[in-house]
Every structure is written in C-alpha cells, then in structure tokens.
Amino acid sequence: MKHIVSGIQPTGSINIGTYLGSIQNFVKLQDAYPDHHFLIFIADLHAITVSQKPEELRKTIKELAAIYIACGLDPNRVSLFIQSEVPAHAQMNYLLQTHTYMGELERMTQFKEKARKQEQGVSSALFTYPSLMAADILLYDAEYVPVGDDQRQHLELTRDIAARINNRFGEFFTVPKPLIPKVGARIMSLTDPNVKMSKSDPNIKSRIHLLDDDALIKKRIRSAVTDSEASIYYDKDNKPGLANLLHIYSAFSGKSIESIEKDYENAQSYQTFKEDLGELIVHKLAPIKARYKELINSKELNQILDEGRAYASKHATKKTLKLQRKLGLGRARR
Ligand code: TYM
C-alpha cells in the first residue's frame, strides 16, 4: 500500500493557518489520491521539545484528534494516531540520528528561530527534532508528505537522510516528496503580515482559531492590519496585509485571487471585503464546529485512535526492526 504521511503538533488551539496549510489539503488529497492510504498523526513527541504543561498537552492532543475528523478526514482512508503511542517513532529517530550530521541540524531555520525564544535553555531534543520528523515519514515509506511552506527545509533533510541510508544499504527507504498547496501554504499573522500566523504568537489577535465563536472571527478580520489605500488588488510587497487576506479568501472559497479582485474592483473601501471574508470563514467553519462538539467526548474518537495506532504500529515496528538488522544490531538470526 502506498502511503501519504503528515502530522501537526498539539501546541495550542488550531488556527486557520494550520487548517489552510495542512488539514484542508489532507481532506482534498483523499479524493485526489484514491490509491494511497493516509497516516495522519498528532505529533506530541515533537510538542515536548519545548516545555509543555502536562494537563494542557493531554487536552490539546484530544482536541486535535477531534478537529482532524471534524474537518473531514475519513477514518476509512486515514489511520489517525498519536505519535507517542507508537514507540517505533522514538526508536527510529535514534537510528536516523546516527546518519544525521550536526552541521545539517545547525542549518535548520526553525531550530534557530525556536532556540532564540527559549528562556530556560534549549533542549537537545529541539536540536534533533528534524530527525524525529524524518523518522515519522520514513517509517511508513511515505511517497508524499503534505505540509505548509515552513516545513520545506525539514522535508529536504528527510530526503537527504533517506538517500544517505539508501546509498549505504541499497533501496531501503522511499524518498518522500513534499505536497505544498498552491494557495494557503503560508498564511500570515493578522496583526503583522510579515510573520507567519502561529500557535505560539503571544498576540492572540494575530490569529483565528477554528473553534472561535462567530462574532470573534468577524472582529479579528475587521481589525486585521491592512494599508490605507482602499482599492483591492494583490500586491504582496506593498500591500502584504491585504495580500494575506486575499490568500485566506481564495483558500476558503476556492476562487482564484484574480476573480476575487474582479468582484471587488469597484470597492471604495476594505469594509465590504472584510465583512464578506468574515462571513465566509464563519460559514466554512460552522459544520466543523458542529461535528467537533459531537466528537470530542465520543467513544467513536477513541476507537478511531485505537485503529490508527494498530495500523501504524504494525508498519513502524517492522520497518524499525529491518533497519536495526541492516545496521548489525542485536543477535544473528539462527
Ligand atoms: P506544525 O504543527 O507547526 O504545523 C502543522 C502544519 O501546518 C502548517 N502550517 C501552516 N501553513 C500555512 N500557514 C501557516 N501560518 C501555517 N502554520 C502551520 C505546517 O507547515 C504544517 O504542515 N514539524 C511539523 C509537524 C510534523 C510533521 C511530521 C509534518 C512532525 N512530524 C512529519 C509532516 C510529516 C510542525 O511542527 O508542524
């Protein structure tokens, strides 16, 4: 079976950046790749590379699981699981670290950015985070990995590690390809369109969460930073705030940016555009919120996670044992 693999860290509520850059894409790919099975997981081992409050982390793990299904992942097409429940991820991480160079890890821009923000020292797990991510992907011989633009560099490193091991042992790993959406791959903050919309931004006004109530969603869009020229056209360099809103509009509606520009060519201000965008987001998120409420405390959700764990464990354990054998670990077979 061919695999498509991806994950999200359970750190804070899911915002529309993560939704448009990844979850919405997973849902669309289910139809576009009918021959593939999906392994989608909650990257809780990644989350603890920086300090987390245990009770909050556990709550967020469950919330993310419910969000995935509420957004339209089909449990018949997708094995949804929690990363830490499949121990082979941590084992494979270690094996891959033996084929990952310090210099490669030092070059990772996400590490540099996150390390700068740590107040109490930088954990070595944050440094080796990309080899855990490579393990997540290579364990299942993923052919494709749908991610947002900010994960491009980690994917490149994953490909390099896979190629290095293949060079040594013959074709052992599938070398994965990233699948980055055309629109929505990099949604920016609503308060500073020069930085990515992020779960960890201390300014809560910078983002919209999928579970925010309708009035708040509209308010966030109304107060999103734009420029003072009132006409609506795409110019990323000179009008980055508006360009970001156009991306969000396009990704939620499926319309091209050109056709949205045309719809608003006679607008005298941003007001109507912003009101319409607020309405659009509210409308698109309503069924997700409703389904989330049904799922969050259901047996169904637990069952989906159990089945996901079983499928993932079977593949991951087998692949890890195979690599251990290649590396000469353990006893000779009798
Ligand atoms: P994470 O949890 O930061 O983000 C999850 C996914 O959402 C995308 N994303 C965005 N896309 C567009 N605009 C944004 N503002 C935005 N913010 C986040 C990310 O690109 C990502 O696809 N290391 C990963 C999680 C991970 C993973 C993996 C992904 C762990 N192992 C294996 C794929 C395969 C991360 O921290 O994503």
Side-chain angles (χ1 to χ4, degrees):
M1 180 59 97
K2 292 188 276 190
H3 286 157
I4 292 181
V5 173
S6 198
I8 297 178
Q9 290 193 64
T11 45
S13 291
I14 296 300
N15 62 57
I16 57 169
T18 308
Y19 174 70
L20 297 175
S22 70
I23 308 180
Q24 192 187 49
N25 202 22
F26 305 159
V27 175
K28 287 186 185 156
L29 293 169
Q30 293 179 130
D31 295 329
Y33 290 87
D35 298 337
H36 287 69
H37 186 72
F38 290 69
L39 288 124
I40 304 287
F41 61 94
I42 295 147
D44 57 348
L45 293 175
H46 278 95
I48 59 166
T49 56
V50 301
S51 176
Q52 303 290 342
K53 293 198 179 99
E55 325 74 57
E56 255 173 51
L57 177 60
R58 190 155 296 122
K59 187 164 158 266
T60 314
I61 289 170
K62 188 166 132 190
E63 197 179 292
L64 178 53
I67 294 251
Y68 270 132
I69 301 296
C71 288
L73 288 189
D74 173 0
N76 295 315
R77 298 290 323 281
V78 176
S79 294
L80 177 68
F81 67 98
I82 300 170
Q83 186 186 28
S84 66
E85 292 188 357
V86 181
H89 284 249
Q91 289 170 292
M92 183 59 98
N93 172 27
Y94 180 74
L95 302 180
L96 296 186
Q97 277 181 42
T98 65
H99 286 70
T100 308
Y101 302 129
M102 297 285 285
E104 288 176 317
L105 295 171
E106 275 159 2
R107 276 198 293 278
M108 295 291 117
T109 52
Q110 280 218 336
F111 170 71
K112 287 189 241 177
E113 275 168 27
K114 286 193 181 175
R116 231 179 287 131
K117 290 185 195 154
Q118 301 313 306
E119 282 160 12
Q120 291 182 329
V122 177
S123 75
S124 56
L126 186 64
F127 186 61
T128 55
Y129 176 117
S131 65
L132 177 59
M133 183 157 161
D136 301 336
I137 298 165
L138 300 180
L139 273 173
Y140 305 101
D141 283 308
E143 203 170 323
Y144 297 110
V145 182
V147 281
D149 191 57
D150 61 348
Q151 298 300 319
R152 215 181 265 276
Q153 197 185 26
H154 291 157
L155 247 289
E156 269 311 309
L157 179 58
T158 302
R159 289 168 57 84
D160 289 346
I161 296 170
R164 189 167 301 145
I165 290 174
N166 287 350
N167 239 338
R168 193 169 162 206
F169 297 116
E171 287 309 299
F172 184 77
F173 284 129
T174 301
V175 181
K177 299 182 206 58
L179 279 180
I180 296 176
K182 288 205 177 69
V183 192
R186 196 171 186 82
I187 299 298
M188 309 309 273
S189 151
L190 298 177
T191 46
D192 178 358
N194 299 309
V195 302
K196 192 183 73 163
M197 183 180 287
S198 155
K199 290 177 264 198
S200 59
D201 191 325
N203 187 351
I204 190 86
K205 292 182 182 162
S206 65
R207 58 186 177 268
I208 291 171
H209 300 120
L210 298 195
L211 302 176
D212 280 347
D213 70 49
D214 297 356
L216 187 64
I217 293 174
K218 291 182 191 172
K219 190 171 145 196
R220 293 275 184 261
I221 292 293
R222 239 178 263 132
S223 61
V225 169
T226 39
D227 53 279
S228 54
E229 189 206 355
S231 47
I232 295 178
Y233 59 94
Y234 186 83
D235 180 346
K236 198 160 180 265
D237 295 331
N238 298 309
K239 293 158 81 74
L242 183 69
N244 188 37
L245 296 185
L246 283 165
H247 275 294
I248 295 172
Y249 200 125
S250 171
F252 269 112
S253 65
K255 284 185 178 177
S256 68
I257 290 192
E258 298 78 52
S259 86
I260 302 166
E261 283 172 335
K262 222 168 176 343
D263 289 346
Y264 292 95
E265 64 188 351
N266 298 320
Q268 306 289 322
S269 78
Y270 293 151
Q271 197 188 344
T272 315
F273 169 74
K274 282 184 162 181
E275 290 301 321
D276 292 352
L277 176 56
E279 283 290 343
L280 171 68
I281 299 173
V282 164
H283 175 72
K284 288 284 174 180
L285 296 185
I288 295 176
K289 285 195 252 180
R291 182 80 179 108
Y292 174 85
K293 279 200 190 117
E294 289 171 6
L295 279 162
I296 187 67
N297 287 316
S298 67
K299 281 203 185 116
E300 187 188 350
L301 188 62
N302 262 323
Q303 212 171 345
I304 290 170
L305 290 170
D306 286 347
E307 282 165 19
R309 174 180 56 193
Y311 183 92
S313 293
K314 194 173 120 217
H315 282 269
T317 309
K318 213 161 133 196
K319 195 75 185 176
T320 307
L321 284 174
K322 264 192 187 164
L323 184 57
Q324 289 193 0
R325 221 168 286 133
K326 290 262 182 215
L327 290 165
L329 298 173
R331 283 183 264 179
R333 273 196 187 149
R334 269 179 286 164

